[in-house]
Amino acid sequence: MKYGISFLPDCRCSQRSATEYLDDALALSCLADELGFDYVKMVEHYLHEYGGYSPHPLTFLAAVAARTQSIRLMTGGIQASFHHPVQIAAQAAQVDVLSHGRLDVGFARAFLPYEFDTFGVPMEGSRQRYRETVEAVLRLWTEKGVSESSEFFQYSGVDSLPSVVQTPHPPTWVAGLMSPETFSWAGERGLNLLMASPPRAEELPKARENVRLYTSCFQKAARETGASPRVAMSIPLMIGGTDAEAVDRALPRLRAHWQVFGEAAESLLHTHSSDYAKYPQIVNSIKEMTDDDLIETAIVGSPETVTERIVEFRRTLSVDTFLWHIDYGGQAFDDMAGNLRRFREQVLPRLPE
């Protein structure tokens, strides 16, 4: 089992400046390194208070690399639909070099219409663009004289520099939410699975089915290599002395987080794309969430309850890496740091190996 911290800035600009937020995120990354956490992850988003303080996760992770000793760095993820594969390959390799091989690269397809509109990238067909970009990056990391010719990018005889430190390339993760096609493709390519959010009770059977699909496809593809599938989950965490105390702390912050997300995702209700056919349903369901629903989107409770929920996610969804979404709702530094320490001191010793 691995554990890390996951950043997705959602604080209001009026509440906190980018300098304040990023200073806190860097300090928390250093604390996580000192406490022995395995990962620090940062997202990529633009133009909105939902994620907009982190338009370039590799820049943030390079700063973390310079301040830490052993914690691994993860993008969660690079929105491949918006970038040329040569740029991604080279920029990620530079951070892999700077960190002496501590980089994991997570990729995401992107889903917010205003980001697609701003970059002039159509949502329709984005699945194919995304996959071809990820495939091209993997080739650039592992081959010489790479040539590509598709409707999205063309180049010939390219040697990407700098070369990555890790062999054959940095561990690579694919963000999956609800599309079975994403889970099967990640498995077929032998890539790690990054579940972008925990399923609620009614979503659990489908999530379990998707993870089984991923695992099955991975095992078939990896018969010769002997590699094992890996499943990570980003999930908000709140630990209190009692379940009631933890709920009291978590609820206002979860409400704030989902309000910011809902504002960003509102444009999905006016978007028609076969690649995102189910996403409007998600937006509408968010509007109807009760307090109980909000708590289901997180791991909240006493150390005993948190331990039980971690074990349950491990059992039902084969999660082997928990990435604690630590900054939801624009939390203050002391609250986030206290949560990390409570996990390290009061929960981790209770967990099975």
Side-chain angles (χ1 to χ4, degrees):
M1 297 285 284
K2 304 286 186 182
Y3 302 94
I5 60 173
S6 177
F7 292 110
L8 197 170
D10 62 6
C11 50
R12 302 292 189 184
C13 296
S14 59
Q15 173 188 9
R16 226 166 179 191
S17 70
T19 299
E20 291 169 326
Y21 172 81
L22 291 169
D23 280 351
D24 282 353
L26 287 171
L28 283 163
S29 299
C30 293
L31 175 61
D33 187 47
E34 293 168 10
L35 293 174
F37 282 78
D38 299 289
Y39 292 99
V40 54
K41 178 173 77 72
M42 179 61 89
V43 299
E44 174 185 349
H45 279 296
Y46 301 88
L47 305 171
H48 193 278
E49 289 170 329
Y50 180 77
Y53 277 174
S54 179
H56 199 266
L58 287 168
T59 298
F60 173 79
L61 294 175
V64 173
R67 292 165 168 80
T68 57
Q69 298 299 316
S70 60
I71 197 165
R72 292 194 63 82
L73 321 163
M74 184 188 294
T75 62
I78 293 173
Q79 299 196 129
S81 303
F82 301 148
H83 302 291
H84 193 284
V86 171
Q87 288 179 310
I88 297 173
Q91 292 169 357
Q94 185 175 35
V95 177
D96 198 40
V97 171
L98 286 168
S99 66
H100 293 197
R102 285 193 279 148
L103 181 67
D104 283 40
V105 179
F107 289 100
R109 182 157 58 104
F111 68 96
L112 292 168
Y114 59 82
E115 293 181 337
F116 280 93
D117 291 345
T118 300
F119 285 110
V121 174
M123 294 186 77
E124 196 68 29
S126 63
R127 187 189 305 278
Q128 186 62 27
R129 179 191 292 266
Y130 165 69
R131 290 184 180 181
E132 290 192 22
T133 301
V134 173
E135 298 274 8
V137 170
L138 293 170
R139 289 192 65 200
L140 288 162
W141 281 338
T142 56
E143 301 176 23
K144 297 292 185 183
V146 179
S147 299
E148 298 282 0
S149 180
S150 77
E151 63 176 299
F152 308 117
F153 42 81
Q154 297 84 34
Y155 47 87
S156 178
V158 168
D159 293 340
S160 184
L161 287 174
S163 298
V164 292
V165 172
Q166 300 176 84
T167 303
H169 55 74
T172 304
W173 301 76
V174 170
L177 182 60
M178 65 187 333
S179 301
E181 299 90 343
T182 299
F183 289 80
S184 60
W185 176 71
E188 290 163 359
R189 286 296 289 112
L191 305 176
N192 302 323
L193 176 65
L194 174 58
M195 299 186 73
S197 64
R200 286 185 278 164
E202 68 270 20
E203 300 165 341
L204 187 58
K206 182 62 175 178
R208 187 185 296 117
E209 181 181 330
N210 281 337
V211 171
R212 287 174 179 166
L213 175 63
Y214 162 73
T215 302
S216 174
C217 291
F218 190 106
Q219 290 171 340
K220 290 177 182 177
R223 283 173 181 165
E224 295 182 3
T225 65
S228 298
R230 292 192 59 192
V231 179
M233 178 184 287
S234 294
I235 184 167
L237 174 71
M238 184 61 73
I239 305 168
T242 64
D243 289 351
E245 178 190 333
V247 168
D248 286 345
R249 288 180 183 171
L251 266 178
R253 296 169 171 90
L254 288 168
R255 288 192 197 103
H257 168 76
W258 286 107
Q259 182 177 355
V260 173
F261 173 82
E263 293 168 3
E266 182 74 21
S267 56
L268 280 163
L269 297 176
H270 312 291
T271 299
H272 304 285
S273 169
S274 59
D275 283 350
Y276 296 86
K278 297 180 180 179
Y279 278 67
Q281 175 185 340
I282 297 175
V283 178
N284 284 324
S285 69
I286 288 169
K287 294 180 178 180
E288 300 170 357
M289 283 199 296
T290 64
D291 286 352
D292 287 343
D293 292 330
L294 289 171
I295 293 300
E296 276 193 32
T297 69
I299 290 184
V300 177
S302 66
E304 295 84 359
T305 297
V306 169
T307 301
E308 290 169 4
R309 291 214 63 199
I310 291 171
V311 171
E312 182 67 10
F313 273 120
R314 170 64 174 164
R315 184 183 67 83
T316 58
L317 294 175
S318 302
V319 177
D320 56 67
T321 302
F322 287 86
L323 302 167
W324 302 125
H325 179 186
I326 203 68
D327 59 336
Y328 60 96
Q331 295 183 51
F333 176 84
D334 288 346
D335 292 334
M336 295 185 282
N339 218 14
L340 288 184
R341 290 193 175 96
R342 285 190 292 274
F343 175 80
R344 178 65 183 84
E345 296 166 4
Q346 300 176 34
V347 175
L348 192 58
R350 301 170 182 267
L351 288 165
E353 292 294 332

